[in-house]
Amino acid sequence: MDAYDKGSDARQGLGRDGREGPPGPDDAAEQTGGSDGTEEASAPGETGEPGETGKTGEPVGVPEAREVPVAPSGPRTGVAALSPRYQVGAVAALVAVAVAVCAHIGLVFLHVAPSNTLTKEHGSAVDEWVFPEFEQNWKLFAPNPLQQNVAVQVRAEVGTADGGIRTTGWYDLSAEDGRAIDGNPLPSHTVQNELRRAWDFFVSSHDSEDRPVGLRGSLSETYLRRIALLRLDRNGAAGPGGVVERVQYRSRTTNVEPPPWSGEKVSDRPTYRELPWWSVTPERDDGNRDDGNRKDGARKDAGEGGAA
């Protein structure tokens, strides 16, 4: 009776089979959690199977959800920092500036572009915007694109061997240069520009009556005479025993046909500009004198070399 009166302490003296007695080794292993007498520690949240509840009623084996901190966003800058009303105003200002820049570029382009349908209809408005602050030209870069084809031709009066005078036909020098350039990947600078620049030089240094203006006009005439002699000699214009006495230039100008959508109408008839006859005796004598000087110099050099 005394053992039962002690309450729960009396149960500690009972063995696994309900008999009284000191606790055995197995009982001690049960109390300590291992057969070696050491108590196994379990990490929080890892004891038990998922879904089981511990003493506190919380799920066992389910990791706790942790709240991830959100980094605070930086301060707004630029247009985004403005209020919606000011944002609308800023966008409207940017659009207005873009439209003004595009309109300015378009008007300046029409000012420097060749004559076309828009400039003919709205040329006064373009000039009012461009002049005088925004005037542009092509003098620094290149001349205005040509809208005409200019062919330079020459003919000669030849003194024949029997004392007569013969006039040759027209030699199209521009067509000869064109044939030399066509299909040639590396045409020479002389073939491309010699005749063209010489004719432009003459036109810019003479008045409408083909009278030279200043010393440059006379120089341009001399240049054209020498080009004519070289080209006629290359073509064998004088013939056997003949001598070129005089030359005459003329230009044949035709308009380039405009595109169909422009509606522009131009004449397709060529126009000619004939220059007066020029004597080439001074140029031929100068050439012979230069050849003689070169031969005399060569003979002199040869003599000095032989004496040495």
Side-chain angles (χ1 to χ4, degrees):
M1 295 296 295
D2 293 338
Y4 292 101
D5 291 340
K6 293 180 181 180
S8 61
D9 294 337
R11 295 189 181 92
Q12 295 178 2
L14 300 176
R16 292 173 61 91
D17 54 355
R19 293 175 300 180
E20 293 185 7
D26 296 334
D27 296 334
E30 276 190 3
Q31 293 179 3
T32 58
S35 60
D36 55 354
T38 59
E39 184 178 359
E40 295 182 358
S42 60
E46 294 182 355
T47 59
E49 296 295 333
E52 295 182 358
T53 57
K55 295 180 180 181
T56 59
E58 298 179 355
V60 178
V62 178
E64 298 179 358
R66 297 182 180 180
E67 183 179 357
V68 179
V70 179
S73 59
R76 294 182 177 180
T77 58
V79 180
L82 302 175
S83 62
R85 181 178 61 181
Y86 290 104
Q87 288 181 0
V88 173
V91 171
L94 291 175
V95 171
V97 171
V99 171
V101 170
C102 293
H104 172 72
I105 295 175
L107 291 172
V108 173
F109 172 78
L110 291 176
H111 172 68
V112 300
S115 179
N116 52 66
T117 305
L118 290 176
T119 55
K120 289 179 180 179
E121 295 182 0
H122 309 286
S124 58
V126 173
D127 293 340
E128 289 178 0
W129 174 262
V130 171
F131 291 105
E133 290 84 3
F134 307 114
E135 181 181 3
Q136 303 288 327
N137 57 63
W138 291 98
K139 293 180 180 179
L140 182 61
F141 302 100
N144 291 330
L146 294 176
Q147 294 180 326
Q148 295 175 330
N149 289 325
V150 181
V152 179
Q153 303 171 349
V154 68
R155 64 178 178 176
E157 281 187 354
V158 178
T160 60
D162 57 0
I165 298 295
R166 177 174 59 88
T167 302
T168 66
W170 290 102
Y171 290 88
D172 196 335
L173 305 184
S174 297
E176 294 177 0
D177 290 346
R179 287 191 295 269
I181 295 172
D182 189 19
N184 187 354
L186 298 173
S188 68
H189 180 75
T190 302
V191 174
Q192 296 181 82
N193 299 314
E194 180 186 53
L195 181 64
R196 179 180 62 85
R197 296 296 299 273
W199 185 256
D200 291 342
F201 182 26
F202 173 83
V203 172
S204 63
S205 59
H206 283 70
D207 58 14
S208 58
E209 300 296 329
D210 298 327
R211 293 173 298 190
V213 179
L215 295 177
R216 290 174 57 84
S218 300
L219 180 61
S220 66
E221 290 183 7
T222 302
Y223 190 30
L224 281 177
R225 286 192 186 101
R226 294 188 175 183
I227 292 177
L229 282 176
L230 292 173
R231 298 295 185 91
L232 292 171
D233 182 66
R234 183 188 305 170
N235 290 308
V243 178
V244 176
E245 301 291 344
R246 296 195 305 169
V247 296
Q248 183 184 28
Y249 273 98
R250 78 173 181 180
S251 64
R252 182 179 184 271
T253 304
T254 55
N255 294 316
V256 177
E257 185 178 357
W261 50 262
S262 66
E264 184 179 359
K265 302 297 182 181
V266 296
S267 176
D268 57 353
R269 298 182 60 183
T271 58
Y272 293 91
R273 176 182 179 180
E274 287 191 4
L275 304 185
W277 284 93
W278 293 337
S279 175
V280 295
T281 303
E283 281 70 27
R284 186 172 56 248
D285 293 342
D286 291 342
N288 294 333
R289 188 182 303 113
D290 293 339
D291 292 340
N293 292 335
R294 285 194 294 270
K295 293 177 181 178
D296 291 342
R299 286 194 296 268
K300 183 177 179 182
D301 294 340
E304 292 177 354

